[in-house]
Amino acid sequence: DAANQSLRAGIAAKVTAARQANAAAMQQYTWDQRTEVLDDGVVKDTRVEMVNWVNGQYQKSQISDQGPSLPRFGIRKRVAEEKQKEMKEYASGLKAILQQYTLDTSPQLLAFYDKAQVSGPDATGLLALSGGSVVSPGDSMTVWINANTHKAAKAFIATSYQGSPVTMNATFNTLAAGLSYMNYADIQIPAKQLEIQ
């Protein structure tokens, strides 16, 4: 109805402004990003990278990579190395897709806020914004936003990657200086029995 449309437009403008200011502020920060890949509930790979803004792009520098121990010789070693390489490429590609839903300021993500269904605020002061076909056709996303600051508190995304359904639950934190960042994400890929945290 007209009241919800007016409310949505006001929220969309405030959320978009907060995200754009946050994206500009984030360029001044450097942080460590830890990624764990779990196969059937067992940690198979842990990677720590330093992330910072260089020449208009985020740059990642590997600090440590604690992958599984590989066979030492022969064809088993080559097969294990190839599987490990494929897994790293898969995880990297998946992370790149999912990052488009979290702190990105792309036109399609900002358009999500213009058309999202708004509900709340709930007992904790969060507004829920829900919608679909945000980054790719058939996906869905709900973002819970602090009603006062218009910054994300948590998000749930359901999409697909390389033909497999993927879900992500993310939580966000805000520093005293006002910068909002994703502090934890749990990604589930049931068809592959994989989890990435």
Side-chain angles (χ1 to χ4, degrees):
D1 64 358
N4 193 23
Q5 195 171 22
S6 174
L7 172 68
R8 192 167 58 232
I11 291 170
K14 290 174 183 172
V15 169
T16 298
R19 285 180 86 86
Q20 290 171 333
N22 198 71
M26 191 167 272
Q27 296 171 17
Q28 301 169 21
Y29 287 81
T30 299
W31 65 91
D32 288 347
Q33 177 175 295
R34 178 185 173 96
T35 304
E36 290 184 349
V37 177
L38 292 83
D39 186 359
D40 205 16
V42 177
V43 176
K44 294 292 185 178
D45 192 8
T46 301
R47 175 181 293 188
V48 178
E49 298 169 310
M50 183 180 72
V51 183
N52 61 341
W53 185 260
V54 178
N55 298 326
Q57 297 287 325
Y58 283 108
Q59 177 178 301
K60 296 179 182 181
S61 305
Q62 187 169 306
I63 296 172
S64 70
D65 187 1
Q66 300 171 358
S69 55
L70 301 175
R72 297 182 65 179
F73 304 105
I75 195 162
R76 288 180 52 215
K77 179 181 179 186
R78 288 193 298 273
V79 168
E81 287 173 340
E82 186 60 32
K83 186 174 179 181
Q84 186 179 47
K85 179 182 171 189
E86 287 173 9
M87 179 56 65
K88 285 182 182 180
E89 288 172 359
Y90 180 87
S92 177
L94 179 60
K95 276 176 36 180
I97 295 292
L98 292 173
Q99 282 177 339
Q100 295 178 53
Y101 292 91
T102 53
L103 294 175
D104 197 15
T105 56
S106 65
Q108 70 262 31
L109 187 59
L110 296 179
F112 161 78
Y113 295 106
D114 285 329
K115 62 183 179 180
Q117 292 297 319
V118 179
S119 62
D122 64 13
T124 62
L126 298 179
L127 296 169
L129 287 77
S130 302
S133 297
V134 179
V135 173
S136 59
D139 65 7
S140 66
M141 179 167 80
T142 301
V143 178
W144 288 265
I145 296 190
N146 182 300
N148 295 322
T149 65
H150 297 95
K151 293 186 178 188
K154 58 185 178 176
F156 174 79
I157 294 109
T159 188
S160 63
Y161 178 66
Q162 294 184 356
S164 297
V166 175
T167 61
M168 180 172 89
N169 279 296
T171 56
F172 296 81
N173 246 351
T174 301
L175 298 177
L179 181 78
S180 178
Y181 65 97
M182 183 175 62
N183 68 323
Y184 180 77
D186 183 67
I187 302 158
Q188 300 280 336
I189 311 107
K192 294 187 172 283
Q193 295 182 324
L194 280 179
E195 180 178 6
I196 301 174
Q197 299 178 339

